[in-house]
Amino acid sequence: MTAAVSASHSLKAVTLVNTVLKPEGWPAQIGFVTQALQTFRNIHDVLASAGAKHLNRRTWYVTSIDDYLANPKGLGAGCRDVFARCFPAMATIEVVRRVERQAVVEIEPTAARPASDQPYCSGCME
């Protein structure tokens, strides 16, 4: 009988919590899509600096599901501009409020990087 071989040894997980836009000093009228787009850029920059090659999951914490659903084309275009055509597992959770009162979105990403230099997902962090 042959023992099963786990592929988990080939990945190093990079979990980043609170990679979020810091809205201090930003006018209150900056809306959901603008904050989400800045958060996408923040996530990309931090993951790229960590050598991550694939965005595995995003958990969104939003103050309004209605705001999240209001402009899917704007969110989709912004996400593609930053991450190309990468579609990780996602969850969206509506929260009552955030510590930074002007922040309407926080995205918690989980990414992985291969143990070798070979990317295993085309487009995510290329």
Side-chain angles (χ1 to χ4, degrees):
M1 195 165 175
T2 306
V5 177
S6 170
S8 63
H9 69 282
S10 66
L11 299 177
K12 296 178 184 176
V14 179
T15 302
L16 300 166
V17 179
N18 296 329
T19 304
V20 65
L21 166 71
K22 300 296 183 192
E24 291 82 20
W26 283 42
Q29 68 269 20
I30 291 182
F32 188 91
V33 172
T34 302
Q35 287 191 22
L37 297 181
Q38 182 60 53
T39 304
F40 293 154
R41 289 188 288 270
N42 293 354
I43 290 168
H44 181 277
D45 292 349
V46 172
L47 292 179
S49 71
K53 300 286 184 183
H54 183 73
L55 186 58
N56 297 335
R57 175 181 70 80
R58 289 188 302 229
T59 302
W60 295 56
Y61 300 93
V62 301
T63 57
S64 170
I65 292 290
D66 292 334
D67 289 347
Y68 170 79
L69 295 173
N71 189 353
K73 288 185 180 185
L75 287 175
C79 190
R80 283 188 303 278
D81 286 347
V82 175
F83 296 110
R85 296 191 58 80
C86 181
F87 305 101
M90 277 182 37
T92 304
I93 301 164
E94 187 173 39
V95 296
V96 174
R97 72 178 219 209
R98 302 205 2 87
V99 173
E100 295 97 359
R101 290 189 182 262
Q102 292 177 336
V104 295
V105 61
E106 176 179 341
I107 302 171
E108 178 185 347
T110 300
R113 77 179 161 225
S116 69
D117 291 336
Q118 299 298 317
Y120 63 97
C121 176
S122 60
C124 286
M125 299 298 297
E126 305 294 333

